[in-house]
Structure formats: structure tokens, C-alpha cells
Amino acid sequence: MTEGLSYIFQTAAGFILTALCWGFTNPFIKRGSKGLESIKRPTWLSQTLAETYFLFTNWKYLLPLLLNLSGSAVYYYTLSSAEITIAVPITNSLALIFTILSGMLLGEPSPTRKELTGMFCIVSGVALCITS
């Protein structure tokens, strides 16, 4: 019995940690990439190299990206013991909610009623999937 509960808590913790890493870093990655659109180079290759240099020398982009990628490592570790049909909707819906919450903490606009309704539908749908 306790082994079953331990598995459930470990799996849930993996899903939540993944969603936290993905969701809370999204607004920071968005902010850290500001200025990227102003880079203009004559060829595709030089444009790509200039954008890559800009992003990978910008700690405001790189630090949240590394945290986001660590969430992916936790996700793949959690997938080794969880069903993918459960893992994907749980982590993605939680990441959406954490993205909105962290955006609000950074001063982005609060979600509209339509967006809140959509979030409620997503969470309800995921809850139905899990309980079935």
C-alpha cells in the first residue's frame, strides 16, 4: 500500500515540477528574447548566427531556458514510470496555468473571462481523463 502511494506522490511531484519549470519560465524567456526582432543581416546564415549569438550571450534568456530544459529532464525521468497518456495532458495543462500566473506576477494582463473559461475547461477535461 505504501509503495503505491509513494509511486503516486513521486509521479505527481514529477508532473508538478515539470509544469513549474515549463510554465514559470515561459514569460521570462519571452522577456529575455526582446531585441531579437531588431537584428537584421543580409543572408539567412548570417541572420541565424547573429540571432543565436544574441540569445546565447544574453543571461536574461539563457538562465530561464536552462531552467525550462531542466523541467524537460524531470519530465523524461517521470515518463519512465508513468503513462504518457496521463503525463502529457497533466503537465501541459498545469504549465499553461503556471505560465499565466507567472505572467501576471510580471505585470502582464490578467486573463479574460474567455481565457479563464478555457482554463477551467482544460483542467476539467484533464481531471475527467485522469479519473476514467
Side-chain angles (χ1 to χ4, degrees), residues 99-115:
T99 298
I100 292 169
L101 291 174
S102 63
M104 288 171 51
L105 290 173
L106 291 174
E108 293 182 7
S110 298
T112 64
R113 282 189 177 193
K114 285 183 180 181
E115 292 167 335

Side-chain angles (χ1 to χ4, degrees), residues 10 18 22 24 26 29-30 32 35-36 80 91 103 114 121 123 125:
Q10 182 179 357
T18 298
W22 287 351
F24 273 107
N26 285 336
I29 291 172
K30 180 180 171 185
L36 184 66
S80 68
T91 52
K114 285 183 180 181
C121 289
V123 171

Side-chain angles (χ1 to χ4, degrees), residues 17-99:
L17 184 59
T18 298
L20 280 169
C21 288
W22 287 351
F24 273 107
T25 56
N26 285 336
F28 289 100
I29 291 172
K30 180 180 171 185
R31 278 189 175 193
S33 65
K34 282 192 178 165
L36 184 66
E37 62 279 350
S38 65
I39 298 173
K40 303 291 183 212
R41 298 292 186 272
T43 65
W44 173 86
L45 181 59
S46 61
Q47 178 73 26
T48 302
L49 291 173
E51 289 176 358
T52 303
Y53 178 80
F54 172 82
L55 291 174
F56 284 96
T57 57
N58 181 358
W59 71 268
K60 292 179 182 177
Y61 172 82
L62 199 55
L63 190 60
L65 177 66
L66 292 174
L67 185 59
N68 186 291
L69 292 173
S70 67
S72 296
V74 172
Y75 181 68
Y76 287 114
Y77 175 77
T78 306
L79 279 181
S80 68
S81 63
E83 292 185 39
I84 195 165
T85 56
I86 299 294
V88 171
I90 290 174
T91 52
N92 287 336
S93 61
L94 286 175
L96 170 68
I97 291 168
F98 291 142
T99 298

